[in-house]
Amino acid sequence: MSTMKLLKPLWILRNGRKKKLGCSVSTWSPLATAFNTRPNSRPIFDSLKERTGLFNKPELTTFEGFYTLKDQAIEATDRLIEEATNSPTRPMVEIFDELSDTLCKVADLAEFVRIAHPQPHFARAAEEACISISGVVEKLNTHKGLYEALKKSVENGTSGDKHLAELFLFDFEQSGIHLEENKRKSVVALNDVILQTGQRFMAGAAKPRRVSRSAVPQNVRHFFSTEGDNIIVSGVYAECGEAAAREAAYRLYLAPDGTQDRLLDAVLQARHHMATLCGFQTYADRAIKASTMETAANVRQFLDLLSDGLHDRARMDFDVMLKMKKQETPYLDQLNCWDTPYYTHKAKNLLLDQANSDFSPYFSLGACMEGLDMLCQELYGISLKSEEMLPGESWSPDVYKLAVVHESEGLLGHIYCDLYERPGKPHQDCHFTIQGGKLLPDGSYQNPIVVIMLSLSGGHRSGPALLSAGALDNLFHEAGHALHSMLGRAPHQHVAGTRCPTDLAELPSVLMECFAADPQVLRRFARHFQTRQAAPERTLQRLCASKRLFAASEMQLQVFYSALDQQYHDRPAAPGGRTTDDLKEVQKQYYGLPYVENTAWQHRFSHLVGYGAKYYSYLISRALASSAWNTHFAADPLARRAGRRLRDRVLRHGGAVPPQVLLKDYLEMEITPQTLASALIDELDCHKDHLDTVLKILDRK
């Protein structure tokens, strides 16, 4: 049992009064102690231990093991194809799920190693494995015999799990396998165009803008990097305190780019053509079919309803920001797109009334992991236990390994935590599935293996990594994805854990952010890393309140992004690159600030490729999470009954149950555009007093 179960908070609020419960310091749990120390190298006696491979796979003691794993997967795939197409004796979905599991075990592992491994030869071998497995998948997607066998089993009622069988069929038909040969070949070619062109667009979206020094006003040139006679603009400088520098960065970085426009237009044209070949009116219809919202028309209705509800609320936010701007620069009386991130950041600092360095010591990495462990124990009856790794198991010496253990079910899976920044590591916070859960023929369960990746600094001899408010949210968000995998017990890996529609997959992670913004939860683990004193109540209240500031305007921006994504994908793409005209039209309808002439913000919006008609999913997930929080957790965030209900009705199933059915059962409400839009507006109104708090602070300045 973790010592956290035995701790009591220093202060609690009863009838509006603070009461002292006990001593002000307490000992760290073994988990917190482990994560408050950053391992830099493996002990010398590791050389005496038996070596293993990456993720405890014996084949991966060296990079050549990827070739072995690839060959084994291809051999197993050929055997399973033969079984499926020659009078199989078991349900077809069992064969298909074994196919999926066989390939994903190599592809998912290789994709992670390709991105994260610091040694080039491992990364290259992993990339080659990715390419090889992608070729196998393409072969399967175009295998007519395999498709016909699956389709026949569905018609005959011998497929097994019908929902899963239909998902496999849908995957096939998205590749055009059901079409006549010429059309099928066109779909394959269009998919390739989308992949190649999309990668080029994403690379260009992040590329710094190089301009002549003369293009930048002399009074702000010192804010930018220089290279000879050129100035390098690497972003929009959103938090820069100089208004003229923010404007210059915005206009220069987001200036129209002819190459990006052609690439985006090519992607949109290819997507629309492919969708119509496969029998859909638009690409949005194709992308949204299996999601919670089910149709593009439902998504558009949701965005329109939410936009109507946000109009006046967002205007109030903008009015406050304009007041702040006038106080700072009386000669400027208009709020612009380059101002909102700066004043949002400034207002949050004003509300905190202290520097980040004043509250981050209460959120050391160890304390935050202790908080996650406390949540897991209270809600689900599971513990996070730090495990020592064998030599060769990790790709970097500063990675942690957690065993997830249930109080009655035993080991549920493993989470590897790659949390620190290092040279060459992508600066992104994300979750990777290495091995999906699956019920095995002998009745045992193949436990999931996942990785949480963050980019924290610190953790050296000077002290543990200290998390900012944003880093705390990100840790809890990615932990939500990991727990989705750990707590899932779907019988088939193809739909286990986070292998479900995007809007459903983000529900557990967004819900975890609610816990990270609740004082009742934070006061259970927020303690100073040196003194172990509990965080002052005032600090916790201000920290949580700061996360709600200007929420309406931030949500309106997300609606604008989502509506633009839908506009591009919910109708035939206009030839000749009219994406900026569409941007102007959508911004006028959905956002409270005007378009800035001679800019093309969409050329930097890489999510148009990655999400493609599904950017709205985050808003849906937030609406679902808000409904779940208010219905089941707000009154008592640590209630076991609420955790049990979430696991039994949502997390356990992954994508094995249609999302509409699953969510209606869990939330006990109809999942419609109206109910979801209302949930988000209600969430904003629950926190409307925070804007008044900001106004009072500004009046005191």
Side-chain angles (χ1 to χ4, degrees):
M1 175 186 248
S2 167
T3 56
M4 195 61 199
K5 289 283 284 184
L6 305 177
L7 298 180
K8 295 181 179 179
L10 174 61
W11 301 96
I12 62 171
L13 289 174
R14 286 183 182 164
N15 301 320
R17 297 175 60 196
K18 293 180 180 179
K19 295 189 176 182
K20 197 168 183 177
L21 293 182
C23 63
S24 60
V25 296
S26 53
T27 58
W28 292 115
S29 69
L31 180 70
T33 300
F35 277 79
N36 271 343
T37 305
R38 179 175 180 173
N40 290 316
S41 61
R42 296 300 173 194
I44 192 168
F45 53 79
D46 268 6
S47 60
L48 304 177
K49 297 180 181 179
E50 180 182 355
R51 285 190 64 81
T52 185
L54 289 175
F55 294 102
N56 213 13
K57 288 187 175 292
E59 296 90 349
L60 293 179
T61 54
T62 68
F63 69 91
E64 288 97 339
F66 275 110
Y67 305 117
T68 302
L69 291 177
K70 175 200 68 175
D71 291 342
Q72 290 173 350
I74 292 173
E75 181 181 343
T77 297
D78 290 340
R79 173 179 55 78
L80 290 166
I81 292 173
E82 181 70 19
E83 179 186 359
T85 54
N86 286 280
S87 303
T89 58
R90 55 176 173 155
M92 190 64 73
V93 295
E94 304 301 329
I95 302 173
F96 269 71
D97 192 62
E98 189 175 340
L99 266 171
S100 176
D101 186 46
T102 298
L103 295 171
C104 286
K105 279 181 180 176
V106 180
D108 292 342
L109 168 62
E111 176 64 14
F112 171 75
V113 173
R114 180 187 72 81
I115 292 171
H117 205 294
Q119 297 179 17
H121 50 285
F122 257 105
R124 280 195 300 270
E127 183 172 20
E128 290 176 22
C130 286
I131 293 170
S132 294
I133 297 300
S134 294
V136 175
V137 171
E138 183 61 31
K139 172 185 171 184
L140 294 178
N141 286 341
T142 57
H143 196 297
K144 292 283 287 188
L146 206 55
Y147 169 70
E148 293 295 343
L150 176 62
K151 187 177 180 182
K152 183 178 179 181
S153 73
V154 172
E155 294 169 351
N156 294 341
T158 59
S159 64
D161 186 314
K162 187 176 180 182
H163 173 63
L164 181 55
E166 289 174 346
L167 289 178
F168 279 125
L169 278 177
F170 182 59
D171 289 343
F172 264 126
E173 291 171 359
Q174 286 202 42
S175 299
I177 197 169
H178 58 302
L179 304 175
E180 61 184 54
E181 189 65 13
N182 287 341
K183 289 184 177 180
R184 186 190 65 76
K185 287 182 177 179
S186 294
V187 169
V188 172
L190 287 166
N191 258 320
D192 188 58
V193 168
I194 293 166
L195 177 63
Q196 301 297 330
T197 309
Q199 287 177 342
R200 290 170 60 198
F201 177 82
M202 292 179 72
K207 188 176 180 180
R209 180 66 50 85
R210 179 181 280 99
V211 298
S212 169
R213 289 175 61 86
S214 61
V216 182
Q218 186 173 358
N219 63 317
V220 297
R221 288 176 187 169
H222 62 283
F223 286 99
F224 303 95
S225 301
T226 60
E227 189 178 280
D229 292 332
N230 293 323
I231 284 179
I232 309 301
V233 186
S234 56
V236 294
Y237 288 59
E239 295 178 5
C240 178
E242 175 56 55
R246 292 197 304 273
E247 178 179 359
Y250 188 95
R251 291 183 180 278
L252 291 169
Y253 190 68
L254 300 181
D257 185 306
T259 299
Q260 286 294 95
D261 199 60
R262 287 189 294 273
L263 291 172
L264 177 58
D265 187 58
V267 169
L268 297 178
Q269 294 280 359
R271 281 177 168 171
H272 180 73
H273 189 192
M274 181 180 66
T276 56
L277 283 174
C278 292
F280 296 94
Q281 286 191 327
T282 67
Y283 183 80
D285 289 319
R286 176 183 183 271
I288 295 167
K289 181 180 178 181
S291 71
T292 301
M293 295 308 288
E294 296 182 333
T295 68
N298 281 341
V299 172
R300 180 67 74 176
Q301 185 182 5
F302 164 74
L303 294 175
D304 287 345
L305 289 168
L306 186 53
S307 179
D308 290 343
L310 286 170
H311 183 273
D312 292 342
R313 294 168 173 84
R315 174 50 53 194
M316 290 176 62
D317 286 357
F318 293 139
D319 288 345
V320 174
M321 292 184 204
L322 182 57
K323 180 179 180 180
M324 294 174 68
K325 185 172 182 177
K326 287 180 178 179
Q327 287 179 341
E328 193 173 274
T329 50
Y331 53 90
L332 298 175
D333 60 359
Q334 181 177 338
L335 190 71
N336 297 290
C337 290
W338 53 79
D339 293 321
T340 53
Y342 169 71
Y343 288 107
T344 298
H345 178 72
K346 182 176 181 179
K348 290 185 178 184
N349 283 342
L350 284 171
L351 180 57
L352 284 171
D353 197 27
Q354 54 190 347
N356 184 65
S357 59
D358 290 329
F359 68 82
S360 60
Y362 294 100
F363 296 96
S364 66
L365 178 57
C368 295
M369 293 304 299
E370 195 167 76
L372 284 171
D373 183 52
M374 177 272 296
L375 268 177
C376 289
Q377 290 190 41
E378 298 283 3
L379 293 177
Y380 308 117
I382 61 176
S383 299
L384 306 178
K385 299 185 179 297
S386 181
E387 277 194 1
E388 184 179 350
M389 281 183 278
L390 291 171
E393 185 175 353
S394 174
W395 53 99
S396 180
D398 56 4
V399 173
Y400 304 96
K401 181 183 180 182
L402 293 175
V404 181
V405 182
H406 191 273
E407 59 191 12
S408 61
E409 299 172 35
L411 181 66
L412 297 183
H414 284 97
I415 304 172
Y416 290 82
C417 300
D418 186 355
L419 305 180
Y420 297 104
E421 61 184 2
R422 62 175 176 270
K425 177 182 174 181
H427 198 275
Q428 60 189 52
D429 299 337
C430 48
H431 157 272
F432 294 86
T433 297
I434 304 301
Q435 175 175 283
K438 175 180 171 62
L439 185 64
L440 300 174
D442 63 3
S444 63
Y445 199 80
Q446 173 178 288
N447 284 334
I449 300 171
V450 305
V451 175
I452 292 175
M453 179 185 283
L454 302 182
S455 297
L456 303 178
S457 58
H460 298 293
R461 291 182 180 179
S462 58
L466 304 179
L467 276 64
S468 65
L472 174 65
D473 286 342
N474 293 345
L475 174 63
F476 273 58
H477 182 98
E478 301 308 333
H481 284 309
L483 290 173
H484 198 175
S485 294
M486 295 298 113
L487 293 167
R489 279 306 179 258
H492 301 101
Q493 83 81 39
H494 193 71
V495 289
T498 56
R499 302 192 198 278
C500 58
T502 305
D503 43 18
L504 176 58
E506 290 294 328
L507 164 59
S509 53
V510 177
L511 181 59
M512 281 295 288
E513 293 181 43
C514 297
F515 289 97
D518 186 89
Q520 297 178 78
V521 176
L522 296 183
R523 72 171 66 101
R524 288 287 299 270
F525 68 86
R527 290 184 288 148
H528 198 283
F529 77 99
Q530 290 175 320
T531 66
R532 300 175 187 172
Q533 292 269 3
E537 186 66 25
R538 184 171 180 270
T539 296
L540 296 182
Q541 294 291 345
R542 284 177 171 272
L543 175 62
C544 294
S546 72
K547 298 181 180 185
R548 313 295 186 184
L549 286 175
F550 297 146
S553 56
E554 289 184 353
M555 189 180 293
Q556 188 185 61
L557 185 63
Q558 293 300 313
V559 171
F560 164 39
Y561 292 169
S562 302
L564 183 65
D565 183 36
Q566 289 300 302
Q567 180 91 341
Y568 286 156
H569 291 102
D570 195 23
R571 65 181 188 180
R578 292 187 54 230
T579 60
T580 300
D581 292 336
D582 285 340
L583 171 64
K584 292 179 184 179
E585 177 186 331
V586 172
Q587 185 161 348
K588 183 177 181 180
Q589 180 178 351
Y590 289 94
Y591 195 49
L593 296 180
Y595 165 76
V596 178
E597 288 297 329
N598 200 34
T599 62
W601 167 86
Q602 76 277 16
H603 295 164
R604 297 286 185 179
F605 193 28
S606 60
H607 288 313
L608 288 170
V609 172
Y611 281 83
K614 294 191 287 188
Y615 188 83
Y616 75 90
S617 296
Y618 175 76
L619 287 168
I620 297 295
S621 303
R622 183 167 168 183
L624 295 170
S626 180
S627 298
W629 176 262
N630 290 326
T631 303
H632 299 300
F633 293 99
D636 186 359
L638 303 177
R640 175 65 66 87
R641 65 182 181 280
R644 184 182 300 114
R645 180 185 178 91
L646 178 62
R647 186 190 183 191
D648 290 345
R649 301 202 183 188
V650 179
L651 304 180
R652 176 180 296 276
H653 303 289
V657 178
Q660 276 277 346
V661 175
L662 182 147
L663 293 167
K664 181 180 179 180
D665 175 60
Y666 172 60
L667 295 173
E668 296 181 339
M669 72 179 199
E670 296 294 327
I671 309 300
T672 67
Q674 292 87 348
T675 57
L676 294 176
S678 295
L680 289 175
I681 295 300
D682 290 345
E683 175 192 305
L684 292 175
D685 289 344
C686 282
H687 302 286
K688 62 181 179 295
D689 59 310
H690 295 140
L691 186 57
D692 295 333
T693 303
V694 176
L695 287 169
K696 291 176 183 177
I697 292 172
L698 291 177
D699 289 339
R700 294 203 306 266
K701 295 297 178 181

